Amino acid sequence: MKLMKSKKILAAAAVMMMAMYAPVAGNAADTIKFGVAGPHSGDLASYGLPTVNAAKLVIDQVNAKGGINGKKIEMLIEDDVCKPEIATNTATKLVSEGAQVVLGHICSGATVAAMPIYRDAKILVMSPSATTDPLTYSGEYPNFFRTIAPNAAQSPTMADFALNKLGLTKIAVIHDKGDYGKPLAEGAKKAIDDSGKGKVVLFEGITPGAVDYSAIVQKIKQSGAEAVIFGGYHPEASKIVSMMKKKRLKAEFISDDGVKDDTFIKVAGKDAEGVYAVGPEDVTSNKMAMKAKEEHKAAFKSDPGAFFDGAYAATTVMLHAIEKAGSTDLDALKKVLQEEKVETPVGAINFDQKGDAVGVGYSMYQVQNGKYVVVK
Amino acid sequence: MNSPILKISGLTMDFGGIRALNRLELDVNAGEIVALIGPNGAGKTTFFNCLTGIYKPTAGEIMLTPPGSSKSISLKGLKPNHVTEKGLARTFQNIRLFSQMTVLENVMIGRHCRTKAFILGAIFRNAATRKEEKQIVESSAAILEKVGLADQANEFAKNLSYGAQRRLEIARALATEPFLLLLDEPAAGMNPQETHELDRLIREISKDGQSILLIEHDMKLVMSLSDRIFVMDYGKKIAQGKPSEIRANPAVIKAYLGEDVDA
Amino acid sequence: MDYFIELFFSGITRGAIYALIALGYTMVYGIIGLINFAHGEIYMIGAFTSFIVATVLSIYGFPLLAIVLLSGVAAVIWSSAYGYTVEKIAYKPLRHAPRLSPLISAIGMSIFLQNYVLLAQTSDFLPFPELIPDFPFMEPVAHIVGSSDLIILITTAIIMLILTFIIKFTRVGKAMRATAQDRTMAMLVGINVNQIISVTFIIGSALAAIGGLLIASHIGQINFYIGFLAGIKAFTAAVLGGIGSIPGAVLGSLVLGLTESFATGYVSSDYEDVFAFSLLVLILIFKPSGLLGKAETKKV
Amino acid sequence: MSGLKVIKKALLTSLWFVFLTFPIMVIKVDPVERIIRWRWQNSLYVALGTFCVYLLAQFILQRKIKKLESQTEQDSLPKESVIHRILANPKQRNLLIVALSAVILAFPLFSSSYQTNVMITALMYVVLGLGLNIVVGMAGLLDLGYVAFYAVGAYSYALLNHHFQLGFWAVLPIGGGLAALFGILLGFPVLRLRGDYLAIVTLGFGEIIRLILENWSEFSKGPSGISNISRPGLFGIELSLDSAIIYLYYLMILFVIVTIFIVNRLQDSRLGRAWIALREDEIACQAMGIDKRKTKLVAFSLGAFWAGIIGVVFAAKTTFVNPASFTFLESAIILSIVVLGGMGSIVGVIFGAMILILLPEYLRALSEYRMLAFGAILVAMMVFRPQGLISNIRRTYRFEKTHSLNVK
């Protein structure tokens, strides 16, 4: 009896050891290892999973055509739950497993934490969603690229639109306290203050996931704001917009790339009408974006979620670069990425020295009849 | 006659609208064994709780005069641990031992308030701490010897017999070095043999110079042990005196109404 | 003054929402002394079930009233079933276990249920059909109290009354109270304690389901994670009011909702939760068993 | 139970689950496109799955009951586990220690840096678990906001490093000390609350700390967090990432050993006895002259101290901190480590941390089913082993009549 117990523990230990080393064993050199990292479980999974789908779609197509230079592409999908400390594990895991390029991470915080690891390993990383400025502006991460506009590019657009295009002067700036929304909102506030044309009548953060936003909407109303600039993602945006309609508050709602997402229109329904959001140019008329959406519907029987287009674009350009460069060497890839424009769902893009996408003009959209339409 | 070491005057305790103690007067002299008797619900345990700081009395005064000292200290409103530090220790009516600890460790807990070692001492286990630990174990062992539990020192407290558990409670209280020991129904649930041993033990403790105040229902024990007896009913003192006087007191007999005052 | 009234109504609506969830917490705690961390997930499942049923029915073209009633009934049935099953799997075997074991089991259950819905349905936010239309007669005050606020307030009040009635006057309610006071004693007088615990879970879950339906319809969206924050807040409210006490849960919820609303309105929504939790700490320091909780008398 | 009856019950159970999972598993609707998809195959999977799981659970339970029945009365005491038996035998213990130290010391040499990195995380949680074990396991105070002290440590290092370029070793005691100070500050008002009230207040405190870090941007840089925190230095030598990981690994091994040593000593001291006594009976404890408030406060701040220390290590390891790392879930995980391992048991906490931290990492193979499995395993472990993996056999003072005293 006693012996059996210790045997059991031994067996368990053996299984554990095997589990630890199992992933290292599969080491075929004849594939290109494509890492995908982001939150795939937990509260932010809705931002990470669409990225995985996008990469799957593109890679399946490329593999169906025989891969790149005769090599098939193998996906390594790793969950980081959007937590910095887990992201470092995810990153070291991807590096250990020999990932040659990485799509991700999704949240800025997780990306910032993971980047030093990729930098040391000289692996190209491209995020469809990490917007924090230092990733490209600090010059610390030469291996980082992104297909989304950095905060520094988005916030002034929102502020400028409210002040100059709409000619509004009293503006409430709201954010979701997150690492994406808050810097955006702070940027917008700064832009408004610097312009001298308008006044930020309210600057506040809301709690994402709270059951009810009526108090903050009442406060916006009380502040006399003519426009609301919101930094954050679509779930909170749609809740606020609906609550504004419910509380009969008529103010313009201007938001960011995290809201310029079809899910926002789906969820907010008719309350979404008239909402402005910054987004990359030309997506609605972009053939590739429409094609990507159809592919997603066919493969997953649902509409794509947030950051799908950006992730699709990132996968496309990275694979293109690998094909052109004939290797996954960082410098060679960078050269291709910087020099050649590639057609993607977010437009024909290449990248500047910093790592930000060029050719993605950012323009303002408005929801009209259930669709995002460019505001001229 | 000695001066009282414990003097209680006008002690009152209200729970909401219920007056559990009503202007209670009581005193204990040095070296005395005093018994507190009364029917169930008379407020005896409430009295102990007020005395030891578990309840905060509504009104009244509790004065303690340590032997050999002329200064009196008020115990009213002190926290239980401070009361114990001042030299008052108790046992509980429904045994409250630390059941997951050994007999020895239970007594060692009683030494807590007389020792000092703290975080750093615990970590570095310096000479002073080691010496103190040794003293704790030795004096605890000596107390166990005294109450006749030395053979069971390494048992878990929960595995002791009922009588032994009662004795362990006394040992634990003694470890705090009290000069006044409060015993709450120490003989409850004991068989005659155990009660007899208890009688002997209490006498021994008393001989060492400790004063004892006990609540007890076993009249035989009370009558044989006590120097003086206080009788309570409905939160009030209804009688006091030597055992022989109490036995003859009509008020007491009435309070016990039908209950056989075993003599 | 208008602003004050607006904030006041925001506050009590929010409070009423918390109350529907907090009641389940407080009932379960009262009976078995367990912080049922999976309760927020039961609420989420209620919301999801009503979402699925309501959408299916609206696709089949049922009238609004039928949709509301049927999806409400479905939410109640399935949430109760989940609550019942969760209790049987994760808590019942732990009845005599160390005090913290059921708590960990509850946390595990909560993680499991979240990911179960995530995998079986979607990670995305979904638009919840608008089940409560704008009532024309509410229009003059709609900027203060909307139709859905009104319905939430009325429903919470009715449920509170029914619940009080059940607990005070019915046989089950009496048995519940007895079990809450002393489980062993209840067993000795012939109460089937296991059955009473199951009933408690079922009632608590049913309330959470109604909450799920109303809140989701009020906010207009759901996803698999909505239970977490709502659960924590409702639990806070239940403790604030004195856990185990039913009027306490409602009062605590209202106090919490109003605090958050006024904190947002007059200070800053950045710190609304800081205010909420600080209030909790303050109240517990001065009234250690919550607003309406019974002060514990030490038995020595 | 007879076989047939079990099968019948299994069938009923699986039917119940088919009903239970019907709306969520079978129906999937798209409210915008107005499409309903019926996924009947899922019902079949549920039915088969529940049937098998039920039989398995019954099998395990039956065995457990049989084992209980075969035990005699004296066995009803917590039985010494294999680990304890090995630890009790000096020969076996030495062998185990030598073997274990060899594996531990050589680990980074034969593992990838990913494995080492994960192991560092696990070791960090061992220390966190041991710290919380003082509070929950020994002193019996349910703390659901332990992560707050962890955050205090992490931000102390992040901020001091960012503003004043203070090094890891300089901040280590500061971080621990600040966390302990926070422990005392929180402890003063709340420690008179009992059990679950204390739990919710500590939970609230944890949230307050996180929210302040999130909102007070001038102080903490808000949700964007603080990046480029220095890794721990080795006599001023700049280390490459790989060697930094290895260095940190050995550092953590050292921390774990020191922590075990200290916790062990505390447990066997006057203070440790007071904690255990306090956990068992507060009133008796006070009546024996133990200052309840002070003793609890010490437990609370000592626990916080360790969280602060590991917070500093955390900041140094990830080189980045933001408030997202310090959510309630984190506290819940650390608490699970303590309970799962077996409350109050040091060996148990080590096992608990290893399992709960390594499990999700190695469950990565299950990809999206990872957290589902994690939740289910938590429940299953509690149901089948509610007292934790290692039941706490406390070492007790032994006293021999010959007056030779030895602490066993």
Side-chain angles (χ1 to χ4, degrees):
Chain A
M1 185 63 222
K2 280 167 189 171
L3 212 76
M4 260 182 63
K5 213 169 183 181
S6 43
K7 258 189 193 163
K8 246 191 283 173
I9 288 182
L10 274 180
V15 169
M16 204 122 178
M17 292 299 259
M18 270 160 69
M20 279 161 67
Y21 290 97
V24 189
N27 193 20
D30 52 347
T31 57
I32 296 169
K33 296 212 166 83
F34 188 97
V36 182
H40 306 142
S41 64
D43 54 335
L44 296 170
S46 57
Y47 303 117
L49 292 172
T51 325
V52 180
N53 290 349
K56 260 187 198 147
L57 288 174
V58 178
I59 287 172
D60 283 352
Q61 282 170 25
V62 173
N63 280 342
K65 285 184 200 142
I68 294 175
N69 304 333
K71 286 183 177 179
K72 290 265 169 134
I73 298 150
E74 183 191 341
M75 280 175 82
L76 305 172
I77 303 166
E78 295 298 345
D79 184 6
D80 70 4
V81 219
C82 260
K83 289 215 170 154
E85 70 276 20
I86 310 277
T88 60
N89 287 349
T90 309
T92 38
K93 173 136 206 245
L94 284 171
V95 172
S96 296
E97 287 180 356
Q100 285 148 315
V101 291
V102 172
L103 171 65
H105 295 216
I106 301 301
C107 297
S108 290
T111 315
V112 171
M115 277 316 291
I117 293 158
Y118 297 121
R119 183 182 56 201
D120 280 26
K122 298 200 175 0
I123 291 173
L124 175 76
V125 179
M126 195 178 284
S127 168
S129 61
T131 54
T132 186
D133 294 336
L135 279 169
T136 52
Y137 283 60
S138 70
E140 299 225 8
Y141 313 107
N143 55 332
F144 180 79
F145 293 81
R146 58 181 155 204
T147 55
I148 192 166
N151 293 333
Q154 273 195 58
S155 328
T157 317
M158 293 192 283
D160 176 66
F161 186 82
L163 296 168
N164 299 328
K165 280 279 169 60
L166 298 176
L168 304 173
T169 53
K170 286 154 112 188
I171 296 160
V173 180
I174 307 295
H175 59 85
D176 67 355
K177 303 183 191 172
D179 57 0
Y180 169 71
K182 193 171 181 190
L184 269 175
E186 282 168 341
K189 179 176 188 293
K190 191 166 175 296
I192 296 167
D193 289 342
D194 290 350
S195 74
K197 286 182 185 166
K199 194 167 163 258
V200 177
V201 290
L202 184 68
F203 181 82
E204 284 205 1
I206 54 161
T207 310
V211 293
D212 179 63
Y213 288 131
S214 52
I216 186 71
V217 168
Q218 302 286 22
K219 194 170 186 185
I220 297 171
K221 197 156 86 180
Q222 179 77 5
S223 75
E226 298 159 327
V228 177
I229 290 182
F230 175 72
Y233 295 112
H234 63 79
E236 276 66 45
S238 55
K239 279 192 222 173
I240 296 175
V241 167
S242 306
M243 195 50 75
M244 281 166 68
K245 287 275 150 61
K246 273 202 178 119
K247 298 292 176 198
R248 309 295 187 262
L249 168 59
K250 287 191 185 68
E252 300 296 343
F253 193 87
I254 303 158
S255 195
D256 51 32
D257 205 17
V259 173
K260 211 225 129 268
D261 183 318
D262 288 344
T263 322
F264 171 72
I265 303 177
K266 262 169 60 181
V267 172
K270 59 182 190 303
D271 296 336
E273 283 299 307
V275 165
Y276 297 98
V278 183
E281 217 168 345
D282 277 331
V283 180
T284 40
S285 57
N286 183 312
K287 288 226 172 62
M288 215 166 153
M290 282 153 74
K291 199 181 123 244
K293 193 176 166 184
E294 288 312 313
E295 284 167 12
H296 188 280
K297 272 196 175 164
F300 303 105
K301 310 221 166 32
S302 64
D303 276 334
F307 305 124
F308 174 79
D309 287 332
Y312 198 97
T315 315
T316 311
V317 294
M318 280 198 283
L319 294 183
H320 170 84
I322 294 172
E323 191 174 5
K324 277 289 154 70
S327 79
T328 52
D329 176 66
L330 180 60
D331 291 327
L333 291 178
K334 273 179 80 169
K335 198 157 170 269
V336 181
L337 286 175
Q338 283 164 358
E339 284 172 2
E340 289 189 30
K341 268 198 185 302
V342 180
E343 203 60 47
T344 71
V346 295
I349 52 167
N350 64 337
F351 294 85
D352 63 15
Q353 289 296 326
K354 303 195 301 292
D356 281 318
V358 191
V360 203
Y362 285 86
S363 47
M364 190 56 85
Y365 293 80
Q366 186 179 28
V367 181
Q368 291 172 8
N369 303 318
K371 276 204 177 75
Y372 270 117
V373 179
V374 182
V375 185
K376 291 284 180 249
Chain B
M1 187 128 201
N2 291 323
S3 60
I5 55 165
L6 178 75
K7 191 162 173 55
I8 285 134
S9 43
L11 195 70
T12 304
M13 178 78 209
D14 291 339
F15 291 107
I18 301 155
R19 178 151 288 196
L21 293 180
N22 194 357
R23 308 187 57 78
L24 196 72
E25 310 278 335
L26 190 149
D27 61 286
V28 181
N29 297 323
E32 225 182 359
I33 301 179
V34 175
L36 182 61
I37 62 170
N40 286 324
K44 302 183 299 286
T45 296
T46 305
F47 169 61
F48 264 27
N49 288 341
C50 283
L51 211 55
T52 52
I54 290 170
Y55 296 157
K56 202 173 168 234
T58 318
E61 192 49 89
I62 306 163
M63 297 305 289
L64 191 72
T65 318
S69 154
S70 54
K71 244 173 72 189
S72 303
I73 332 159
S74 166
L75 292 185
K76 196 185 165 197
L78 284 188
K79 282 198 188 143
N81 51 307
H82 291 136
V83 173
T84 310
E85 272 170 29
K86 298 274 182 281
L88 215 72
R90 70 174 290 182
T91 67
F92 293 92
Q93 183 180 0
N94 43 348
I95 299 172
R96 297 187 88 116
L97 288 169
F98 307 114
S99 57
Q100 301 292 325
M101 299 177 119
T102 64
V103 168
L104 180 68
E105 284 170 326
N106 264 284
V107 182
M108 286 166 77
I109 287 294
R111 298 295 305 153
H112 189 97
C113 61
R114 304 293 169 213
T115 46
K116 286 194 193 62
F118 214 52
I119 304 173
L120 291 180
I123 295 171
F124 297 110
R125 227 172 251 175
N126 53 350
T129 311
R130 282 201 305 270
K131 197 173 145 209
E132 193 183 272
E133 279 289 287
K134 199 167 167 232
Q135 277 173 352
I136 294 176
V137 179
E138 275 172 1
S139 56
S140 305
I143 294 170
L144 283 180
E145 197 84 57
K146 188 168 167 182
V147 300
L149 286 172
D151 291 334
Q152 287 154 298
N154 302 330
E155 296 273 341
F156 277 100
K158 61 180 173 192
N159 296 345
L160 292 187
S161 71
Y162 197 75
Q165 290 196 8
R166 287 259 178 234
R167 270 184 288 148
L168 180 54
E169 274 226 328
I170 296 175
R172 191 177 63 174
L174 281 178
T176 67
E177 295 176 9
F179 55 83
L180 175 57
L181 188 61
L182 309 178
L183 303 175
D184 198 344
E185 296 197 26
M190 282 188 171
N191 61 31
Q193 170 65 27
E194 285 171 331
T195 310
H196 180 72
E197 277 169 27
L198 180 75
D199 186 308
R200 205 171 47 91
L201 177 61
I202 294 177
R203 279 176 204 283
E204 246 174 66
I205 296 168
S206 171
K207 231 180 272 164
D208 292 345
Q210 265 138 338
S211 314
I212 293 163
L213 174 59
L214 81 158
I215 296 174
E216 189 48 68
H217 281 300
D218 186 330
M219 284 306 149
K220 204 169 151 195
L221 185 71
V222 169
M223 294 300 165
S224 95
L225 269 180
S226 323
D227 298 320
R228 280 191 300 148
I229 297 175
F230 285 80
V231 189
M232 270 179 85
D233 200 9
Y234 297 108
K236 269 196 238 171
K237 180 176 79 183
I238 54 172
Q240 90 176 73
K242 294 209 167 68
S244 51
E245 295 162 14
I246 293 300
R247 217 178 313 215
N249 190 318
V252 178
I253 295 165
K254 194 177 159 224
Y256 276 83
L257 202 68
E259 222 175 290
D260 185 25
V261 185
D262 204 345
Chain C
M1 196 60 206
D2 266 5
Y3 186 46
F4 179 86
I5 294 170
E6 285 166 5
L7 290 175
F8 179 79
F9 276 102
S10 300
I12 57 169
T13 307
R14 198 185 259 225
I17 290 171
Y18 290 152
L20 286 171
I21 312 169
L23 284 170
Y25 265 116
T26 225
M27 285 170 68
V28 167
Y29 188 92
I31 296 269
I32 52 174
L34 164 73
I35 306 173
N36 179 12
F37 266 114
H39 190 64
E41 268 50 66
I42 298 292
Y43 147 79
M44 180 268 292
I45 283 175
F48 249 96
T49 310
S50 57
F51 159 75
I52 291 167
V53 173
T55 311
V56 167
L57 294 179
S58 83
I59 291 173
Y60 287 144
F62 278 68
L64 187 63
L65 193 66
I67 293 175
V68 173
L69 289 177
L70 287 175
S71 62
V73 168
V76 165
I77 289 175
W78 265 284
S79 274
S80 309
Y82 274 94
Y84 173 83
T85 314
V86 164
E87 196 270 326
K88 284 277 179 277
I89 292 177
Y91 308 141
K92 189 167 169 243
L94 293 175
R95 207 107 342 128
H96 303 289
R99 199 169 61 91
L100 286 182
S101 302
L103 186 73
I104 304 301
S105 182
I107 291 172
M109 208 27 133
S110 158
I111 295 175
F112 179 86
L113 288 176
Q114 274 171 21
N115 284 279
Y116 156 71
V117 174
L118 162 71
L119 291 168
Q121 290 286 320
T122 173
S123 62
D124 261 332
F125 278 85
L126 293 163
F128 197 88
E130 205 180 323
L131 297 181
I132 305 165
D134 276 347
F135 304 134
F137 68 89
M138 290 291 290
E139 202 44 44
V141 289
H143 61 287
I144 302 173
V145 196
S147 308
S148 58
D149 303 56
L150 185 74
I151 296 285
I152 287 174
L153 291 177
I154 293 175
T155 316
T156 309
I158 292 175
I159 283 176
M160 162 85 186
L161 287 177
I162 294 176
L163 200 61
T164 314
F165 176 81
I166 291 178
I167 300 231
K168 278 251 161 77
F169 301 111
T170 63
R171 255 181 66 95
V172 178
K174 280 175 191 157
M176 279 164 85
R177 277 186 294 153
T179 313
Q181 264 185 11
D182 190 334
R183 206 189 304 165
T184 330
M185 226 27 221
M187 225 159 352
L188 288 178
V189 296
I191 292 171
N192 183 342
V193 169
N194 279 332
Q195 202 181 347
I196 291 302
I197 291 173
S198 287
V199 169
T200 311
F201 268 85
I202 288 172
I203 296 178
S205 305
L207 297 181
I210 296 170
L213 171 83
L214 289 173
I215 299 159
S217 162
H218 178 67
I219 305 171
Q221 57 173 270
I222 54 169
N223 88 336
F224 70 96
Y225 204 67
I226 53 171
F228 179 75
L229 199 67
I232 294 259
K233 280 299 177 58
F235 175 54
T236 307
V239 175
L240 189 65
I243 194 147
S245 150
I246 288 184
V250 176
L251 181 68
S253 302
L254 291 179
V255 169
L256 191 70
L258 285 170
T259 310
E260 289 181 354
S261 180
F262 285 123
T264 298
Y266 290 113
V267 191
S268 162
S269 68
D270 288 339
Y271 290 101
E272 65 172 9
D273 286 354
V274 175
F275 275 94
F277 286 119
S278 307
L279 176 83
L280 174 84
V281 174
L282 279 180
I283 288 190
L284 287 187
I285 285 171
F286 292 108
K287 229 173 160 310
S289 14
L291 291 171
L292 297 185
K294 265 175 276 164
E296 199 200 14
T297 42
K298 278 186 269 190
K299 269 277 193 190
V300 181
Chain D
M1 252 193 288
S2 74
L4 205 66
K5 216 170 152 195
V6 173
I7 301 274
K8 198 178 143 200
K9 278 206 87 177
L11 271 175
L12 281 175
T13 312
S14 67
L15 256 178
W16 168 253
F17 273 88
V18 167
F19 161 76
L20 193 66
T21 54
F22 169 71
I24 286 174
M25 291 286 278
V26 173
I27 314 174
K28 188 161 179 183
V29 289
D30 185 330
V32 178
E33 305 282 331
R34 303 182 75 75
I35 305 167
I36 311 170
R37 286 200 295 130
W38 301 88
R39 302 170 297 178
W40 292 109
Q41 74 279 12
N42 283 348
S43 277
L44 192 69
Y45 303 149
V46 169
L48 284 173
T50 345
F51 189 76
C52 298
V53 169
Y54 181 85
L55 288 183
L56 189 73
Q58 279 303 320
F59 175 71
I60 296 174
L61 279 177
Q62 291 300 326
R63 249 190 30 176
K64 207 171 152 188
I65 292 168
K66 255 192 213 136
K67 222 164 95 187
L68 280 177
E69 279 168 353
S70 66
Q71 271 172 2
T72 47
E73 267 297 304
Q74 345 159 300
D75 280 343
S76 63
L77 277 173
K79 272 213 318 205
E80 296 206 354
S81 62
V82 186
I83 310 287
H84 283 105
R85 222 173 301 126
I86 292 173
L87 285 178
N89 179 331
K91 225 180 195 172
Q92 283 180 11
R93 183 176 58 196
N94 290 341
L95 199 71
L96 186 80
I97 287 175
V98 169
L100 216 61
S101 1
V103 172
I104 288 168
L105 288 177
F107 186 79
L109 306 178
F110 61 80
S111 312
S112 67
S113 52
Y114 163 66
Q115 306 288 358
T116 314
N117 207 21
V118 170
M119 201 50 82
I120 296 172
T121 314
L123 291 171
M124 283 166 61
Y125 279 87
V126 169
V127 179
L128 284 172
L130 288 171
L132 186 61
N133 189 34
I134 297 177
V135 185
V136 181
M138 296 189 199
L141 305 166
L142 181 50
D143 182 354
L144 288 181
Y146 193 58
V147 77
F149 308 120
Y150 187 36
V152 168
Y155 267 86
S156 316
Y157 182 45
L159 288 169
L160 290 172
N161 185 262
H162 183 78
H163 292 298
F164 308 107
Q165 283 75 48
L166 285 187
F168 174 78
W169 291 105
V171 182
L172 199 62
I174 302 178
L178 275 178
L181 190 72
F182 267 79
I184 293 173
L185 284 181
L186 169 70
F188 257 117
V190 305
L191 279 180
R192 64 200 198 95
L193 298 175
R194 77 189 155 88
D196 300 316
Y197 287 92
L198 181 69
I200 184 72
V201 169
T202 49
L203 187 155
F205 179 72
E207 286 293 290
I208 289 174
I209 292 275
R210 186 178 63 79
L211 290 165
I212 288 175
L213 290 174
E214 212 165 58
N215 290 313
W216 192 6
S217 295
E218 296 77 19
F219 170 71
S220 67
K221 300 202 159 192
S224 309
I226 300 165
S227 57
N228 285 316
I229 302 166
S230 324
R231 291 206 169 82
L234 183 65
F235 310 116
I237 309 163
E238 191 79 5
L239 295 168
S240 78
L241 181 68
D242 275 353
S243 37
I245 288 179
I246 293 175
Y247 175 49
L248 207 56
Y249 173 81
Y250 287 117
L251 213 61
M252 274 318 301
I253 293 285
L254 186 74
F255 279 162
V256 169
I257 292 172
V258 171
T259 310
I260 292 177
F261 175 78
I262 293 180
V263 170
N264 213 357
R265 284 250 162 130
L266 284 172
Q267 205 171 22
D268 286 341
S269 72
R270 170 177 176 268
L271 203 55
R273 287 193 299 271
W275 286 332
I276 296 163
L278 201 60
R279 186 183 68 195
E280 283 199 37
D281 191 330
E282 281 195 6
I283 288 173
C285 222
Q286 281 183 290
M288 289 307 116
I290 291 175
D291 189 334
K292 177 172 107 180
R293 195 85 169 272
K294 188 169 153 198
T295 311
K296 279 185 176 181
L297 215 51
V298 167
F300 216 63
S301 56
L302 269 178
F305 177 79
W306 262 282
I309 293 275
I310 294 305
V312 175
V313 176
F314 169 85
K317 174 177 175 273
T318 44
T319 71
F320 174 78
V321 290
N322 78 353
S325 302
F326 307 105
T327 54
F328 165 66
L329 205 62
E330 207 66 26
S331 296
I333 296 282
I334 305 172
L335 184 66
S336 308
I337 287 173
V338 176
V339 178
L340 183 76
M343 289 241 291
S345 155
I346 294 175
V347 186
V349 169
I350 297 173
F351 270 76
M354 289 294 168
I355 289 172
L356 281 191
I357 302 307
L358 298 185
L359 196 68
E361 280 297 330
Y362 296 129
L363 281 175
R364 280 181 185 280
L366 298 176
S367 60
E368 68 257 48
Y369 297 100
R370 188 169 80 104
M371 290 314 278
L372 187 81
F374 181 65
I377 290 171
L378 262 189
V379 176
M381 279 189 176
M382 281 297 112
V383 169
F384 291 113
R385 228 182 139 71
Q387 74 277 36
L389 294 171
I390 312 287
S391 17
N392 179 23
I393 310 280
R394 217 166 36 76
R395 290 183 303 170
T396 51
Y397 281 82
R398 297 213 164 254
F399 163 73
E400 313 300 336
K401 256 201 151 173
T402 51
H403 283 277
S404 66
L405 303 165
N406 51 352
V407 176
K408 187 206 140 192

